[in-house]
Structure formats: structure tokens, C-alpha cells
Amino acid sequence: MLPAHPIDIDDELAMATSPEQTNGRPPLIEALEVSKYYGGVTALDKVNFSCRPGSIHALIGENGAGKSTLIKILTGVVTPDSGTLKVDGQPASLTSPVDAGQLGIVPVFQELSLLPDLTVAENIFITNPPRNRLGLIDRKAINRQTHQLFDSFGFHHLDPEALITELPLAQRQMVEIATALSRQPRLLILDEGTSALTLRDVKLVFQVLEKMRNENRSVVFISHRMDEIEEIADTITIFRDGRHVGVFPAGTVSHDDMVHMMIGRKLEQVFPDKPTHKMEETPLLAVKDLGWEHLLHDINFSLNQGEILGLGGLDGQGQGELLFALFGVLRNLRGEILIDGQPTKIKSPAAASEAGIGLALIPEDRKTEGLLLPMSVGNNITMSTLDRWARLGILNNRQEKAAIQRMVEQLKIKTASTRIPVGSLSGGNQQKVVIAKWLLTEARILLLYDLTRGIDVGTKQEVYQLMRSLADQGVGILFFSTELPELVGMCDRVLVLYEGKISRELKSDDITEENLVAAALGLKITNVAQAEAQ
């Protein structure tokens, strides 16, 4: 039974101090009173966490709550400042990832670790490749063994001989997971490992995780997708502000109470209200018969001033190519792009962001396409607008710092300093830095590529409010999302793509999850219920 009333803080702490049920067996891994500090910032404050054998344990919380810090401690990447780690009930010293790997603890971090210029198979066997009689690397054996590995996981759509750099983000993520699984871990840690995956890929990964559970192996699963957690997890632990505030069996606490525990406040409404008045049709952007190679065909639509126009459909149906085409990334386009009614040739991303055009693209993979991780938070925010703060080649540091601080305050970016590397921030705050960079350009047209992937529910709400506020100021937003509730809750219209074409346009009350799914599958029906009745 779900609790009938919100959980208060005393209830949370009571649940947090209750040990996980292990049926008399010690947990596979356990952290006791673990703390970690970075300068004056407390990343973890006397945290307790355990995962039993044969369990899938979800770890959830806002970005910056301490989840990734705990994972780095459990995998030997960083050492705790205080507290104890135990593996199989025995004290363990994990001073490096090698120590963790020897104990069967294998992570998949948010940041991909693949070498882009090597093949899929070469990445999987990079630490221990099969060799021939002469001691040379046997490439045929690498490809053959990778095929066998993928067959055992059901990852049949992955090509062992493909270069990593040629793969879409979802397939790169699958290769990262396959690499970890190839080590036969006793404990697999997935830190937002499914955030970039398609629905089909998530299903394949879950089948492998369930097999691990049946083999008495364990998984620590970090995700911001509550539907995934409900489907796969046995136990849920919640972190907030570097502390654990709850641990309970999955399905025993309501969504509202979990959100309250994660963010410390009640989330009244996820999505802001849509405009109730009829929107004036003042096209900022129009596309006529747009095509590119075999991936885009006869695309026609317009984006109005102050409109949030969604792009729906299954991932990989041309949505990404459409955004890249509009932003000047792709060459040899067919058809026309019009800005303010005038045919416009957008030859490069730099040209797209010029004042007369005013386009900005927030990409799918913030870490490789949106940010320079070793650079500071501040430098990332102003990298696209440096010419505004310079005169005769000399940078006006005072004006630049003022712009950075304005963006940090407006977007509530949590950072100890704007001078620290942006790579040290949580995923949600990194995404805010990408948004800040493009907001400074004062773009009139925003192209958003799966904007909220891998960020927590509280940050998502802030992003949704920002999107609607920008639209109210006249900005046109073209918004691709793989999450159906976002399209339903945020968009004034939705274009559903199927095999590189717009299969359907949905407006107002027609924007439902059922209609989005039906259109994504190419079904010419009003909703899924009708299909089931036939």
C-alpha cells in the first residue's frame, strides 16, 4: 500500500536508518557513515548505503545530491574522507578502479570512456585482446568474440567492426554497457546508463539486468526516469544534499512523496500552463520540401514567434538530422529554409547564430557537443559571445564576469565558483551552462535536442519554466524529446516524424501519449484505444 499522506522528515530518517533486508546474508557492498568533502563543499555527509546479492537497487535524487560521488567511492575512483566500505561483509579498501574490478565491481559512468577512432570490437577488448601464435592482436578473433558477446546479450543491432565515431549516441552508450558486461561483474553500476538509449535498447538492457539478478549478481541503477525505476528496481534509496533520506522497497512510496524527499518541497505542477489565447501565426522559421540524403524527405512546417513546436516519433527517425540541417551542420540540403519569410542559406553553425538569423542549438550530448569540460564554468558560458566583451582584441573582464554572474543567477547554476572546470558540475548544472551559453547570444530560435536527458525532476521543472518564459517573450522553440510526457505537457503543436517524413501534426487536445505513439509507429488512427478495439 502506498502511504496516504506525505512523508515528513522524521519518517524519512527512520526509513533511511533501516538496513536493507538481506535474509541473514551480508550485503554485496556496503557504505557506512561515509563522508566526502571538496574544499568547503560537503559532497557526502555520513551516508549509509547497501546493496544485497541478487538485487537491482535504484539510487535517485537531484543532480548534485551526491549520487555520483558515492559511485566513485564504491568503484575506487575517489577515496572517502571518513567512513567504512565493506564487500561481502568484510572491510574493503578501494583505492583504485583496479581494486574494485578485482572484486567484481564494474561501473558505467555518465561520461563515455570509448576511444572514438577504434572499432566497437577494439574498444571492448582493448585491455585484453586475443592474440595469435606470434603474439600479435588477432583482429578476426576480436570481431568473432564480439559477435558472440552481442548474441549472448541480444545486442544484435551493434556492428563490431563499426568505428565508434560513426555511431549515434544511443549505440555508443550500448557499447559502453556491453564493455562493462563483458567483464562478468558481480556488481554492475549504471550511472545514467540508459539516459541516451532508445526504448528498444532500454528493453534489451533490462533483459540483461534481470538475468544478472537471477544469477545472484547485483546492479546499482541511477536514473531520473521514474518509469524505468518502477519497472526494474527492487529497492530505492533517495539522496538529497549529500545525505541519504530514504530507503524502501520499490512500489511502496508514491511519486509525490519520492519527489518531496528528493527536493525537500512539494512539486505542485511539473509543466507550466500553456497559453489559453489563440497564438498569432508569425513565422520566424519555415521549411519547404527540405530533404537530405536518404534520411529526410519533403519536410514542410513553420515555427511561429512564441511557439513551442515539438518533434516526436521514435528516436532515429530524422529528428536529429532535421535540427542539424537547420543549424548549418549538414551539406547538400534539398529544399528551402526561410527566416522571417526570406530564403536563407545557412552554411555553418557560426552563420546560424548571426544576428540576422538568430538560431541556437542545444545538442543531444552536452559533454562532447556542448561543453569543453576542462575549461571553467565561466569560459563555457561566454565562449559563443566573446566578441561582445572585447574591443580591439582586448577582453573586458568586468563585463564578461557580470554576464556570467547574471546567467548563474538566472538559471540557478549550482557551482562553488565560476572558475572551476565545468566537468566537475553535476549533469543538470552542466546542462544549465549549455543553456546559458546560448541564451547570451539572444537567439530568436532555439533548437532543443532532448534537452532534459539525464537531469533530475526539480531541474527539469526549472527548465520547463524557462522554456515557457522564453516563448512568452517571443522566442520560437523547436523541441525534440524522447519523453512523451514532455511533448504533451510543453508543446503547442507536435510534428511526429516517421522514416524521415512528417507523418502527423498534432494540436491542442490531440496531443496525447496515445496519439504520439500511434503516429510514431506509422498508424493512421486517432488513438491507440481505437487500434485495440479493431
Side-chain angles (χ1 to χ4, degrees):
M1 294 288 291
L2 297 181
H5 57 84
I7 298 174
D8 61 28
I9 298 299
D10 291 337
D11 293 331
E12 293 175 18
L13 293 177
M15 290 199 300
T17 54
S18 300
E20 187 176 16
Q21 295 298 317
T22 58
N23 298 323
R25 301 177 57 187
L28 192 155
I29 195 165
E30 191 172 15
L32 300 172
E33 298 288 305
V34 167
S35 296
K36 182 65 182 178
Y37 308 97
Y38 293 101
V41 177
T42 301
L44 292 177
D45 183 14
K46 295 183 180 180
V47 160
N48 292 311
F49 177 82
S50 65
C51 182
R52 61 182 170 82
S55 170
I56 298 177
H57 194 131
L59 179 58
I60 64 176
E62 287 193 279
N63 290 107
K67 307 183 300 296
S68 293
T69 301
L70 175 64
I71 294 310
K72 290 175 181 177
I73 289 173
L74 298 181
T75 54
V77 176
V78 300
T79 55
D81 294 315
S82 62
T84 303
L85 295 179
K86 291 185 177 182
V87 176
D88 297 323
Q90 300 300 314
S93 178
L94 304 179
T95 59
S96 72
V98 174
D99 292 340
Q102 290 174 344
L103 293 171
I105 302 168
V106 179
V108 176
F109 291 116
Q110 291 186 45
E111 299 84 1
L112 299 181
S113 61
L114 304 173
L115 298 177
D117 294 325
L118 297 183
T119 68
V120 169
E122 289 166 346
N123 269 275
I124 288 180
F125 284 96
I126 193 167
T127 60
N128 187 29
R131 299 180 181 273
N132 59 25
R133 296 177 182 177
L134 300 177
L136 302 175
I137 293 176
D138 190 337
R139 298 189 181 280
K140 289 184 178 180
I142 288 177
N143 291 333
R144 182 178 64 253
Q145 292 182 28
T146 303
H147 270 297
Q148 294 171 350
L149 187 71
F150 288 169
D151 286 343
S152 68
F153 298 149
F155 297 176
H156 303 296
H157 60 300
L158 298 180
D159 179 5
E161 299 181 49
L163 287 175
I164 293 297
T165 190
E166 297 174 349
L167 299 180
L169 179 59
Q171 289 194 22
R172 280 181 273 154
Q173 186 71 67
M174 289 291 282
V175 174
E176 189 87 33
I177 293 171
T179 302
L181 291 171
S182 70
R183 299 171 61 184
Q184 290 295 310
R186 295 178 60 216
L187 175 65
L188 177 69
I189 299 177
L190 287 177
D191 188 357
E192 292 293 347
T194 60
S195 64
L197 301 187
T198 64
L199 293 176
R200 177 186 67 169
D201 289 341
V202 170
K203 183 175 293 187
L204 291 174
V205 170
F206 279 10
Q207 290 173 357
V208 177
L209 300 188
E210 289 168 351
K211 181 180 179 182
M212 287 185 62
R213 176 168 54 195
N214 294 337
E215 295 170 350
N216 216 34
R217 296 188 285 160
S218 303
V219 178
V220 173
F221 184 73
I222 298 177
S223 176
H224 292 304
R225 295 177 173 176
M226 293 306 300
D227 56 338
E228 292 182 358
I229 290 169
E230 290 180 336
E231 179 177 349
I232 198 69
D234 303 306
T235 305
I236 298 173
T237 288
I238 294 180
F239 274 23
R240 184 176 74 238
D241 296 332
R243 299 170 62 231
H244 63 285
V245 295
V247 54
F248 44 84
T252 61
V253 174
S254 71
H255 282 178
D256 287 348
D257 286 339
M258 282 193 282
V259 169
H260 173 64
M261 294 168 72
M262 282 191 285
I263 67 178
R265 64 187 187 276
K266 187 176 180 181
L267 201 60
E268 298 289 349
Q269 182 176 351
V270 175
F271 300 109
D273 293 331
K274 296 182 182 180
T276 55
H277 60 276
K278 182 175 176 60
M279 187 175 299
E280 293 185 14
E281 295 187 2
T282 308
L284 293 175
L285 167 72
V287 170
K288 293 184 178 180
D289 300 322
L290 187 70
W292 183 69
E293 295 190 353
H294 63 287
L295 297 175
L296 295 176
H297 310 283
D298 302 320
I299 302 290
N300 290 275
F301 70 89
S302 62
L303 172 65
N304 294 312
Q305 183 175 327
E307 180 180 32
I308 299 178
L309 177 60
L311 292 177
L314 300 177
D315 197 13
Q317 300 300 305
Q319 301 95 332
E321 287 79 9
L322 176 56
L323 295 179
F324 288 141
L326 296 173
F327 199 57
V329 176
L330 306 182
R331 297 290 179 268
N332 302 317
L333 298 177
R334 303 183 298 274
E336 276 189 318
I337 298 174
L338 295 89
I339 304 293
D340 296 324
Q342 299 300 314
T344 306
K345 296 291 185 182
I346 303 175
K347 297 180 179 180
S348 69
S353 59
E354 290 177 352
I357 299 176
L359 279 162
L361 170 66
I362 297 179
E364 175 186 28
D365 188 353
R366 57 181 171 264
K367 295 180 183 298
T368 61
E369 299 171 343
L371 298 168
L372 295 176
L373 297 180
M375 288 177 59
S376 71
V377 172
N379 286 343
N380 271 274
I381 290 175
T382 59
M383 69 168 63
S384 295
T385 49
L386 282 177
D387 58 331
R388 296 189 181 187
W389 328 118
R391 186 176 182 182
L392 300 177
I394 301 174
L395 192 65
N396 188 319
N397 290 320
R398 182 180 59 81
Q399 290 182 355
E400 184 192 20
K401 289 179 180 178
I404 292 170
Q405 189 60 35
R406 186 171 75 251
M407 287 292 101
V408 168
E409 293 174 358
Q410 179 180 344
L411 297 182
K412 301 177 183 177
I413 300 172
K414 295 179 181 178
T415 177
S417 166
T418 58
R419 295 189 294 271
I420 65 174
V422 73
S424 66
L425 301 187
S426 67
N429 284 296
Q430 287 181 9
Q431 189 71 307
K432 288 182 179 181
V433 171
V434 179
I435 297 170
K437 176 180 70 173
W438 288 111
L439 286 185
L440 272 183
T441 69
E442 299 178 354
R444 301 181 303 140
I445 303 168
L446 288 179
L447 311 176
L448 308 182
Y449 195 144
D450 221 0
L451 178 66
T452 64
R453 181 180 65 83
I455 62 177
D456 62 84
V457 63
T459 304
K460 282 184 178 182
Q461 187 188 40
E462 293 176 5
V463 169
Y464 299 148
Q465 295 286 350
L466 175 63
M467 288 173 61
R468 183 52 67 183
S469 174
L470 291 170
D472 290 343
Q473 296 169 36
V475 174
I477 299 175
L478 188 60
F479 177 43
F480 170 54
S481 176
T482 54
E483 297 192 26
L484 297 181
E486 288 188 342
L487 295 175
V488 175
M490 286 302 303
C491 296
D492 305 307
R493 288 187 296 142
V494 178
L495 307 175
V496 182
L497 270 67
Y498 180 72
E499 295 183 347
K501 298 181 180 180
I502 295 176
S503 66
R504 193 166 181 191
E505 177 183 333
L506 300 173
K507 300 179 182 179
S508 59
D509 292 341
D510 287 335
I511 305 175
T512 66
E513 293 193 29
E514 291 82 0
N515 286 342
L516 287 168
V517 170
L521 297 174
L523 303 177
K524 302 297 183 181
I525 56 175
T526 302
N527 56 47
V528 173
Q530 289 184 12
E532 293 175 345
Q534 292 177 355

